[in-house]
Amino acid sequence: MISKRTLKLIKSLQQKKYRKKYNLFIVEGGKNVQELLSANFSIRTLIATPVFLEAQKDFIKTRNFLEIIETEEKQLSIASTFKSNNAALALVDIPEATPYISDKNNFELVLDDVKDPGNLGTILRIADWYGITNVICSPETTDVYSPKVVSASMGSFLRVKVFYRELNTFFQQNKKTVYGAYAEGGENVHTIEFEKEGILVMGSESHGVRPSVEGFVNHKVHIPSYGKAESLNVGIATSVICDNIRRVVSNL
């Protein structure tokens, strides 16, 4: 059974200030926790149903947990932020920040003030799909360890490196060509000749790339519209541009 104390801790970790206080974050759902078990993350507490524990017993034997709590689906759903969680939940230590190292001969993503956690999680999943290992976030971008980000990433947060940096300083030290996504103007994403390596900047959902960052952009890129939709979600736009980057780069 999950104690009231543990339940209170889990609920508190939905807020960034408590994640920072306890240096913990939540991973929820069978698929995400299953991937977590094989990743290099320190798991403090594993809470799971008997079915999940039995199915993952070989992975579990190889890991050191402070605590394993066996519980029923009903209690697990009460603890989870999911509407329904019938498998597992883990309390995980936030890893120490690692130094940023540029990923040579590859593209990197810069997120300028992306606020929506679902969008950030989706972008991490997109980066993982297209082989982009570095995502650099402005300090105002939402917290990568938010439960909604972790869930939306579908395990990709385990493989993609996320760095929070002051973007002006980052770009002053950057030597790669910078491409910025814009709703209007700039070069057509379907015809632009991307270089083998570079940085793609995606702006906020409401304001796009900020003027303070725009000065570092070498090429403005836009996705042409053929219908009547007002705009694209930043996650979808990231996917479209990344697909075109890979199409061009694969032929270089």
Side-chain angles (χ1 to χ4, degrees):
M1 296 291 289
I2 307 174
S3 69
K4 290 183 179 179
R5 181 179 179 181
T6 301
L7 187 60
K8 184 179 179 180
L9 173 61
I10 293 169
K11 295 296 184 184
S12 74
L13 295 177
Q14 295 180 32
Q15 299 181 54
K16 183 177 179 179
K17 65 178 180 179
Y18 291 110
R19 291 195 293 273
K20 186 175 181 180
K21 177 180 179 180
Y22 298 116
N23 199 48
L24 286 171
F25 70 102
I26 311 167
V27 178
E28 303 170 86
K31 183 183 183 301
N32 281 340
V33 175
Q34 182 181 348
E35 288 200 48
L36 176 70
L37 290 173
S38 59
N40 189 28
F41 275 67
S42 174
I43 304 170
R44 186 89 57 93
T45 303
L46 174 63
I47 305 170
T49 63
V51 173
F52 182 89
L53 292 174
E54 175 63 24
Q56 303 301 322
K57 62 183 180 181
D58 292 337
F59 276 121
I60 290 170
K61 287 177 183 177
T62 65
R63 303 299 301 269
N64 293 319
F65 302 97
L66 185 65
E67 185 178 26
I68 296 178
I69 301 172
E70 184 176 310
T71 191
E72 299 301 323
E73 289 182 20
K74 185 177 179 181
Q75 269 243 313
L76 192 59
S77 291
I78 291 171
S80 179
T81 65
F82 287 4
K83 288 183 179 180
S84 175
N85 184 352
N86 61 0
L89 181 152
L91 303 183
V92 187
D93 291 311
I94 295 175
E96 292 185 11
T98 56
Y100 166 77
I101 300 174
S102 178
D103 191 3
K104 294 182 179 179
N105 298 316
N106 198 2
F107 263 77
E108 299 174 271
L109 275 176
V110 166
L111 305 182
D112 182 17
D113 198 18
V114 173
K115 297 287 191 184
D116 185 89
N119 284 339
L120 177 56
T122 299
I123 290 169
L124 295 183
R125 193 175 178 186
I126 291 163
D128 192 16
W129 180 265
Y130 286 103
I132 295 172
T133 58
N134 282 354
V135 175
I136 299 91
C137 299
S138 67
E140 299 82 10
T141 294
T142 194
D143 180 22
V144 66
Y145 295 115
S146 160
K148 290 183 179 179
V149 175
V150 171
S151 296
S153 80
M154 296 297 289
S156 291
F157 79 94
L158 297 167
R159 293 176 289 274
V160 177
K161 298 174 185 176
V162 179
F163 305 91
Y164 285 82
R165 296 288 187 275
E166 288 290 346
L167 295 188
N168 283 18
T169 303
F170 171 79
F171 281 119
Q172 286 168 5
Q173 298 170 346
N174 164 63
K175 296 181 180 179
K176 291 184 177 181
T177 299
V178 180
Y179 302 84
Y182 288 81
E184 296 178 355
E187 301 173 69
N188 187 327
V189 71
H190 302 304
T191 57
I192 185 173
E193 293 296 324
F194 291 100
E195 296 180 16
K196 187 176 182 180
E197 63 174 16
I199 289 174
L200 172 61
V201 183
M202 303 301 299
S204 73
E205 297 86 349
S206 54
H207 303 298
V209 178
R210 289 179 294 182
S212 59
V213 173
E214 185 173 333
F216 297 102
V217 173
N218 305 117
H219 297 277
K220 293 183 178 181
V221 180
H222 82 277
I223 302 168
S225 170
Y226 300 98
K228 297 181 180 180
E230 182 180 341
S231 63
L232 288 177
N233 171 284
V234 65
I236 294 173
T238 302
S239 181
V240 171
I241 299 173
C242 285
D243 193 73
N244 278 276
I245 288 171
R246 286 299 179 220
R247 173 182 56 80
V248 172
V249 170
S250 64
N251 292 320
L252 292 178

